[in-house]
Amino acid sequence: EAQVTQNPRYLITVTGKKLTVTCSQNMNHEYMSWYRQDPGLGLRQIYYSMNVEVTDKGDVPEGYKVSRKEKRNFPLILESPSPNQTSLYFCASTESGPPTYEQYFGPGTRLTVT
Amino acid sequence: ELKVEQNPLFLSMQEGKNYTIYCNYSTTSDRLYWYRQDPGKSLESLFVLLSNGAVKQEGRLMASLDTKARLSTLHITAAVHDLSATYFCAVGRTGANSKLTFGKGITLSVRP
């Protein structure tokens, strides 16, 4: 079954404690993205990756890092989380070809930073 | 900067009636998406619209795209409770970049 998986699904942590949210897809897609969703703001892109070892900033990259060492995995790293990073995070994987470039979303990770 | 606006942000619908919600965007794009999100869940793809005049229908939902007006509409026919959810539109920029810019979402609530 084609899917995007994220772990953990829920995480409560404290300010400054490094964490990683994993994302994996089994569709051999080249493009992957991370979004955060906040009430009243919709989804905003944090980082994206167009292929292995190719990543770039989205609209709200501050405080986040990513890596893409393998095509299937795209982890999101918070080196020093702060309360304003409390949010719902989605990883997405995108079909490589035109015309639709349809995005498949993971189940989400709800992060609380205290 | 690409901006996507949805309105209204909240809509209370009566069962059995028809409604239309709107998505406006600010710059040229070659694809527009509609997603549904249930509370606490991920996004479910509803429609992908690729060209001016495109119309797609699935059950009680019909989406259309007017690229000249930079407007997409989602028409709901005979609303039912199962349609209660938040609906997002998202616009993809021209080219291979996978970035989507989302609207803030419209929360639909269907009452008896």
Side-chain angles (χ1 to χ4, degrees), chain A residues 79-95:
Chain A
E79 294 269 3
S80 183
S82 62
N84 65 11
Q85 293 178 298
T86 293
S87 188
L88 179 59
Y89 291 87
F90 289 101
C91 179
S93 176
T94 306
E95 289 178 344

Side-chain angles (χ1 to χ4, degrees), chain A residues 9 31-33 35 37 40-43 45 48 50 58-59 88 90 94 99-103 105-107, chain B residues 30-31 33 35 37 40-43 45-46 48 50 88 93 95-105:
Chain A
R9 295 289 313 281
Y31 302 137
M32 298 183 73
S33 303
Y35 295 88
Q37 183 180 16
L41 295 179
L43 278 80
Q45 192 184 56
Y48 67 94
M50 297 180 74
D59 295 319
L88 179 59
F90 289 101
T94 306
T100 62
Y101 296 106
E102 183 144 15
Q103 297 209 358
F105 286 86
Chain B
D30 57 0
R31 55 195 190 276
Y33 305 80
Y35 292 93
Q37 186 182 38
K41 302 291 187 181
S42 187
L43 281 78
S45 178
L46 295 175
V48 182
L50 300 175
F88 291 94
R93 297 174 191 262
N97 187 332
S98 67
K99 176 180 172 135
L100 293 184
T101 299
F102 282 79
K104 294 182 179 180

Side-chain angles (χ1 to χ4, degrees), chain B:
Chain B
E1 179 190 352
L2 174 59
K3 293 186 178 179
V4 181
E5 292 186 357
Q6 293 186 249
N7 62 80
L9 294 184
F10 180 83
L11 182 61
S12 178
M13 305 188 293
Q14 190 171 353
E15 264 188 351
K17 292 199 171 180
N18 301 334
Y19 297 87
T20 300
I21 60 178
Y22 301 92
C23 174
N24 291 87
Y25 55 99
S26 60
T27 62
T28 302
S29 171
D30 57 0
R31 55 195 190 276
L32 186 138
Y33 305 80
W34 283 97
Y35 292 93
R36 168 183 172 142
Q37 186 182 38
D38 293 296
K41 302 291 187 181
S42 187
L43 281 78
E44 172 191 355
S45 178
L46 295 175
F47 302 108
V48 182
L49 303 170
L50 300 175
S51 59
N52 187 44
V55 177
K56 290 199 173 180
Q57 183 162 5
E58 180 72 34
R60 300 176 186 273
L61 301 178
M62 184 174 71
S64 63
L65 178 62
D66 181 344
T67 58
K68 294 178 182 178
R70 296 177 186 158
L71 171 70
S72 179
T73 61
L74 184 65
H75 186 73
I76 300 152
T77 301
V80 294
H81 179 73
D82 283 353
L83 293 178
S84 297
T86 298
Y87 293 81
F88 291 94
C89 67
V91 176
R93 297 174 191 262
T94 301
N97 187 332
S98 67
K99 176 180 172 135
L100 293 184
T101 299
F102 282 79
K104 294 182 179 180
I106 296 175
T107 298
L108 303 184
S109 177
V110 181
R111 64 185 189 279

